[in-house]
Amino acid sequence: MATTTNCKLLLSDLAFTVKNVPSNYIRPVFDRPDLTDVQKSDASIPLIDLQGLHGPRHSDIVKQIGLACQNDGFFQVKNHRIPDTMINNMLNISKTFFKLPESERLKSYSDDPSKTTRLSTSFNVKTEKVSNWRDFLRLHCYPLEDYVHEWPSNPPSFREDVAEYCTNVRGLVLRLVEAISESLGLERGYIDKALSKHGQHMALNYYPPCPQPELTYGLPGHTDPNLITILLQDDVPGLQVLRNGKWVAVNPIPNTFIVNIGDQMQVLSNDRYKSVLHRAVVNCDKERLSIPTFYCPSPDAVIGPARELIDEDRPAVYRSFTYAEYYDKFWNRGLATECCLDVFKASTV
């Protein structure tokens, strides 16, 4: 296991005691973030106003979403119907969780990626050689009644508050997924049906201040294995997206969500929409909190390019596979820079 010399299981219990990054967090020289070569957010991702998605601006918003999926793989949304109070509450309760005493937090600790509720560190401590500068609490959250009893019961309102947030984010996802289906020229319910019984999980990511942020990552460049990700972040920058070969900083806008296309959407769209590399960098001054919700097919769902998007000019880029097969491969490979999608390409022979 990628533990440290003083055997602390979690980075948050070590980070404030060290003046240098421990050796097991230091990336090889060729694989470090060049923090000086990052474009500022004036070249950032589209901000889409969802007001009127089910009204007079419907076709215009669907078109904007389609263009963002095609050109950027990332976009931000405002007027998304999730109240500011719920957003602030989610950030506050997450921060409170990571400030609990070590013994209390460790009740949720596990290094087994198959566990549906677990607190851990880095990415997959069983397989990786270099650790990432983050702790995370991962929660499965759909269907809620299957998982909520596993969640931490401290802070006392954790289960109730997080369940309410999850339900609201799921509503946002379903609205976006309908719009994305339409933007591809598919029936509005196409993607919804392709996901079988659906799955939803989330991570509460905690990135402590780092004494040497140029030596390590919060998370290195990766694409998301799921269908679509809805990211809530606090006011500390850290997310960067690869655009035209350059890393672009996506600075937080209060009470907006960042939406990105995952690998399954790229498959369903037969490569029309792109799952884009992104990463999290850390800083030496401030802790950072980010809360991605990963919406995905259920494990039994068979994913492949939509038939309506395959023709002589655009043959199927991928073979069909179950999401269980894909997700298993993703975890075992770790956050390799090359996309896991390559393994599932259709044979050209």
Side-chain angles (χ1 to χ4, degrees), residues 287-303:
E287 60 189 5
R288 175 175 177 255
L289 198 68
S290 77
I291 305 171
T293 293
F294 306 105
Y295 208 83
C296 40
S298 50
D300 65 322
V302 177
I303 302 296

Side-chain angles (χ1 to χ4, degrees), residues 112-124:
D112 176 3
S114 68
K115 281 200 76 170
T116 49
T117 296
R118 70 186 186 106
L119 176 69
S120 193
T121 191
S122 190
F123 177 71
N124 184 350

